[in-house]
Amino acid sequence: MPAATITPADATATSHPAPSMRAIVQHAYGSADTLGLGEVARPVVGAGEVLVEVRAAGLDRGTWHLMTGTPYAARLAFGLRAPKNPVPGFDVAGVVVAVAAGVTRFAPGDEVFGVGRGSFAQFTAAREDMLVHKPAGLSFAQAAAMPVSGLTALRGLTDVGRLQAGQRVLVIGASGGVGTYAVQIAKALGAHVTGVCSAAKADLVRSLGADDVIDYAREDFSAGGATYDLILDVAGNASVTRLRRALTPTGTLVMTGGEDGGPLTGGMDRQLRALALSRFVGQRLTAFVNKEHFTGLERLAALAEAGKIVPAIERTYALADAPEAMRHLASGKARGKLVIVP
Ligand SMILES: NC(=O)c1ccc[n+]([C@@H]2O[C@H](COP(=O)([O-])OP(=O)(O)OC[C@H]3O[C@@H](n4cnc5c(N)ncnc54)[C@H](OP(=O)(O)O)[C@@H]3O)[C@@H](O)[C@H]2O)c1
C-alpha cells in the first residue's frame, strides 16, 4: 500500500475529521488520582512521525515516574510544574493511520509496536525510528507489553552486560516488568539463571525458565557463597557491597533501577558510587539508562517470533481504568506486565 504522506499541518484534518480523542489526561504531578479520562486534541504528527491508532498500551515504571514527577531531576526534561505532555504512556501497539513527510518504513494499515508520546489514548504520535512492524504471531497486548521493559532487559544483559552462553546470571527483581524479560532472554542466550523475587511470585519466575529462585525475604542472595558472572540489578536496592560479594572476581554488575532512593535522586547515588568504584576493582560495575530505538525492537520482535520470549501479562485494563492499573503497578504486586486496551 503506498504511503499516505501528509504534512504535519494537515495530518489531523486529512485523515481524521473528528479533531478530538479519548485519552487519559494529567495536569499535575502526583499519584494515580491525578489521572482522569478526558477528550483532547488528536496528536499532530511532525516530520518523521507516524500517527498510530492505539490498540494496546503498556505500563512501565518510567510512566509511573513521569506521573509522579520523581526523581525531581526528571522534571527538567518533562516539565517543571506539570507534565508538558498531559497524556501519559510510552509503550504502544496499534495500526498506522497516517505518516508525515520523511517516513519511509511505514504506511497506513501497518501493524506496529514501539514507543509513542502519550499512548494512554485512542491515538498517539511516534517517531518512525521508535517503531517496528508487529510480528503476526503476537497480539497487540503482547506487543505493547514489550518495548521499554523488554529493551531494558535485552540491552542490560547483552550490550552492557556482554552476556556469554554458559555464564551464571542473577536477576534481582525477576518478577517485574524488566525482570520477566531478563529471565527469558538470559535463558534464550544460554545462561544459567537465578531469579530473586518474593515467594508469591516464585512460580511465575520459574515458569519463565529460571533454573533457581531465591525468595529475598528468606534468603540473602549474597550470603550463600554462590557467585555469578553477571548480575542484573533491577529491584531491591541492595548495597554495592552485597552485590559485589555475589559476583565472581571478574564478574559484571549491571544496575538498571531501584525505587528506594528518595524523590530527589531516585537512587542514582548508589549507581554513581558503583561506577566510581569500578575503576579500582577487578569486577566491572556498570549502570545505564536505556534508549529506545527500532533496532533493539527488531531484536526483541525476533526473539518473540522465535518463541524465546513470551510477555508475562498479568491482566489488561480498559482505558478508563488506567488509574487503577497505575495503582496496581505502584503497589509492587503486579506479576510481570500490565496493559491498557482502549
Ligand atoms: N535504567 C533504565 O533505563 C530503566 C528502564 C526500565 C526500568 N528501570 C527501573 O528498573 C526498576 C524496575 O522496573 P520494573 O519495570 O521491572 O518494575 P516492576 O514491574 O515494578 O518490578 C519490580 C519487581 O521487583 C520485585 N522486588 C521488589 N523488591 C525486591 C527485592 N528486594 N528483591 C528482588 N525483587 C524485588 C517486585 O515484586 P516482588 O517483590 O513481589 O517479587 C517487582 O515485581 C525501576 O526502578 C525502574 O525505574 C530502569
Side-chain angles (χ1 to χ4, degrees), residues 241-257:
T241 306
R242 279 181 65 211
L243 291 163
R244 287 192 59 211
R245 203 184 300 139
L247 269 184
T248 61
T250 56
T252 297
L253 166 66
V254 179
M255 304 170 92
T256 75

Side-chain angles (χ1 to χ4, degrees), residues 100-126:
V103 172
T104 57
R105 293 172 43 242
F106 301 106
D110 286 357
E111 296 183 346
V112 295
F113 77 101
V115 176
R117 48 179 166 87
S119 59
F120 293 4
Q122 288 180 292
F123 296 89
T124 189

Side-chain angles (χ1 to χ4, degrees), residues 156-322:
L157 290 170
T158 59
D159 305 336
V160 183
R162 303 173 196 164
L163 174 63
Q164 304 289 320
Q167 286 190 325
R168 292 175 60 81
V169 174
L170 183 71
V171 179
I172 305 173
S175 58
V178 176
T180 49
Y181 288 104
V183 169
Q184 296 182 77
I185 293 169
K187 279 306 288 180
L189 296 178
H192 179 282
V193 181
T194 302
V196 182
C197 63
S198 62
K201 299 176 189 169
D203 58 331
L204 168 68
V205 174
R206 263 198 206 92
S207 75
L208 298 172
D211 298 287
D212 299 310
V213 177
I214 294 175
D215 165 10
Y216 59 77
R218 297 186 50 186
E219 202 182 329
D220 178 353
F221 66 81
S222 71
T227 53
Y228 303 88
D229 303 294
L230 174 62
I231 297 179
L232 188 69
D233 177 40
V234 184
N237 299 289
S239 71
V240 177
T241 306
R242 279 181 65 211
L243 291 163
R244 287 192 59 211
R245 203 184 300 139
L247 269 184
T248 61
T250 56
T252 297
L253 166 66
V254 179
M255 304 170 92
T256 75
E259 294 298 331
D260 293 342
L264 197 59
T265 63
M268 283 302 283
D269 44 331
R270 194 176 61 108
Q271 306 188 7
L272 293 174
R273 271 202 308 281
L275 285 169
L277 184 63
S278 188
R279 304 172 61 190
F280 306 102
V281 297
Q283 297 158 332
R284 196 162 68 89
L285 314 176
T286 64
F288 77 106
V289 176
N290 190 43
K291 276 193 164 177
E292 291 80 22
H293 189 257
F294 79 90
T295 50
L297 291 169
E298 279 173 345
R299 288 161 68 197
L300 269 188
L303 283 167
E305 257 184 319
K308 300 278 173 78
I309 54 174
V310 179
I313 299 176
E314 181 192 322
R315 61 167 289 191
T316 61
Y317 294 81
L319 184 61
D321 296 330

Side-chain angles (χ1 to χ4, degrees), residues 313-339:
I313 299 176
E314 181 192 322
R315 61 167 289 191
T316 61
Y317 294 81
L319 184 61
D321 296 330
E324 185 192 335
M326 289 299 277
R327 276 184 209 106
H328 189 40
L329 179 81
S331 75
K333 296 204 173 99
R335 294 164 63 88
K337 297 292 297 180
L338 307 174
V339 177

